[in-house]
Amino acid sequence: AMHRFMRTTGHDDYAALYQWSIDEAPAFWEALCAFCDVAFDTPPAEVLARPDDIMDAGWFSGSRLSFSAHLLRNAGDRPAIIFRGENGVRRALSCDDLRAQVAAVAEGLRRVGVTKGDRVAGYLPNCPEAVIAMLAAASIGAIWSSCSPDFGVNGVVDRFGQIEPKILFAVDGYYYNGKTCDTRSVVADVVRKISSIEHTVVVAFAPDLEPSSALADAVPWDEFLVAGAKLVCEPVEFDHPLYIMFSSGTTGAPKCIVHGHGGTLLQHLKEHVLHTDIGDGDRLFYFTTCGWMMWNWLVSGLASGATIVLYDGSPFFNAGRVLWQMAETEKVTVFGTSAKYISALEKAGVRPRDEFALPGLRAVLSTGSVLAPEGFDFVDDAIGE
């Protein structure tokens, strides 16, 4: 894809393309939009209004588009999402299934009064419901923020308390390293401490939990959905907020970081299509939780035609082999993880190429580097930090 884009834009080598992207930034981004089939409901009046003002550059000023529409533009029965849980659960949603469920949740949000600019929070594992709820919120112009269920009450309140969400999607429990973790009391405490939360929707993720009345007032996920709803992806301004993410919180309270619809879409398309060569037929996996920005990056793979593969649980389950067993079974083509995980595999003597059949795997992504899958020789100078 990078080579095709280079030729399409009239460049003979990568160095020339790279320099052009710097010297003629508006032309580069306009060409990327055309190459990646970005659909503007209202075209931009100008690609870059104020090139000398880094704080208010005015990218694609006057334009309107929908982030959700781009991630849901594929239809049919091929898988959009494949989910694998540490406990052996497997679920697959087709493109049509995903579109229908996003429409059903979006209509549920409208019926409880969620509108453009409202915040919708997710306290969820890396499961299909997290993707569905995010796309539903984005489809009506609401702003999504999420963290993983291993966060305690204070960690959640420190984050969501700043953004005043109107609705919380939460989970009853999750699985990690062979244990079932009950989160219902945490969710109840969070709801008590964040007064802006008007409705709580609970995903039944851990069916083996003992009965509890901790979330008696919450609405079950299945009851919140409005079956048969029509999918409507409302276009918003290019820089309308899409996500609120957070800094780590190591130097005080976590700081809010806002990303917009248009900027997120274009940047992720650039990274997926040009840098990672992702397209139709790919199966994209990244080991992440909903509390790390790589979850947002992974989900955007839908816009490039990939099937996204979700895993929730410990990466070291089954002697550190669970992710590679999944990659083999699900025919993952792009595998993403952290450098620390790869280093841990190396120390444990796990060599994926020797133990698993991975003929379709063509890229292993690690934070800070891309490793050639033929070798899996995870040495320090190849990993980076």
Side-chain angles (χ1 to χ4, degrees):
M2 182 73 82
H3 186 265
R4 294 196 307 273
F5 182 71
M6 184 180 76
R7 295 301 189 192
T8 298
T9 54
H11 296 92
D12 294 329
D13 55 54
Y14 179 79
L17 174 67
Y18 173 72
Q19 193 60 46
W20 174 71
S21 74
I22 298 170
D23 297 339
E24 303 292 341
F28 167 81
W29 288 105
E30 190 171 29
L32 180 82
C33 287
F35 190 76
C36 295
D37 296 321
V38 175
F40 290 96
D41 293 82
T42 302
E46 197 171 8
V47 175
L48 180 57
R50 294 170 293 278
D52 297 326
D53 188 348
I54 193 172
M55 298 303 294
D56 186 26
W59 285 102
F60 293 87
S61 55
S63 67
R64 296 174 68 87
L65 80 173
S66 168
F67 178 83
S68 291
H70 285 82
L71 272 65
L72 295 169
R73 58 185 170 183
N74 296 299
D77 60 2
R78 73 174 182 83
I81 297 174
I82 294 173
F83 168 76
R84 297 288 297 262
E86 175 194 287
N87 62 337
V89 170
R90 182 188 189 274
R91 295 164 55 196
L93 274 73
S94 70
C95 294
D96 287 347
D97 292 336
L98 179 60
R99 290 167 59 88
Q101 292 205 34
V102 170
V105 174
E107 184 58 29
L109 290 171
R110 293 188 184 95
R111 292 192 180 187
V112 297
V114 176
T115 60
K116 180 182 177 182
D118 286 336
R119 275 74 63 205
V120 176
Y123 180 65
L124 296 167
N126 186 19
C127 60
E129 287 81 4
V131 180
I132 293 163
M134 179 279 289
L135 289 170
S139 74
I140 60 179
I143 307 165
W144 175 260
S145 188
S146 61
C147 62
S148 61
D150 58 326
F151 283 43
V153 175
N154 291 338
V156 179
V157 173
D158 284 349
R159 289 161 175 79
F160 293 163
Q162 300 183 60
I163 67 173
E164 299 180 338
K166 180 177 284 189
I167 186 166
L168 174 68
F169 288 92
V171 71
D172 59 354
Y174 65 97
Y175 301 96
Y176 195 85
N177 202 27
K179 297 179 180 179
T180 304
C181 304
D182 190 337
T183 58
R184 290 172 295 188
S185 62
V186 175
V187 175
D189 285 345
V190 167
V191 173
R192 280 194 291 269
K193 292 185 176 185
I194 302 178
S195 60
S196 64
I197 297 174
E198 299 176 4
H199 303 276
T200 304
V201 180
V202 176
V203 176
F205 192 75
D208 52 342
L209 291 172
E210 294 293 331
S212 170
S213 60
L215 297 176
D217 295 331
V219 179
W221 170 270
D222 291 341
E223 294 181 17
F224 185 78
L225 275 65
V226 180
K230 180 181 178 182
L231 178 64
V232 178
C233 295
E234 301 173 19
V236 296
E237 299 83 3
F238 185 87
D239 57 358
H240 180 70
L242 168 67
Y243 293 133
I244 300 174
M245 290 184 273
F246 300 92
S247 64
S248 63
T250 54
T251 57
K255 314 301 189 297
C256 296
I257 305 166
V258 180
H259 293 264
H261 277 243
T264 302
L265 178 65
L266 267 61
Q267 179 65 16
H268 286 176
L269 281 172
K270 176 175 72 72
E271 294 180 6
H272 288 163
V273 176
L274 297 189
H275 296 293
T276 319
D277 206 33
I278 292 170
D280 289 345
D282 271 310
R283 293 197 168 188
L284 171 64
F285 167 75
Y286 214 107
F287 177 73
T288 181
T289 70
C290 294
W292 188 28
M293 49 79 66
M294 291 312 302
W295 180 84
N296 309 77
W297 189 90
L298 168 63
V299 172
S300 289
L302 292 167
S304 301
T307 296
I308 59 172
V309 180
L310 312 179
Y311 171 81
D312 194 75
S314 170
F316 298 108
F317 194 67
N318 194 16
R321 289 163 171 80
V322 63
L323 298 185
W324 298 105
Q325 290 168 336
M326 179 195 70
E328 179 181 59
T329 302
E330 303 297 348
K331 298 178 172 58
V332 169
T333 59
V334 179
F335 183 107
T337 186
S338 67
K340 287 185 177 180
Y341 170 74
I342 294 173
S343 181
L345 286 188
E346 181 186 24
K347 291 177 181 177
V350 178
R351 291 180 58 80
R353 70 169 181 184
D354 295 339
E355 297 186 36
F356 304 98
L358 304 164
L361 184 65
R362 56 178 179 76
V364 178
L365 310 182
S366 174
T367 45
S369 61
V370 179
L371 310 177
E374 293 81 7
F376 288 107
D377 293 318
F378 300 132
V379 295
D380 290 343
D381 60 352
I383 296 171
E385 289 295 333

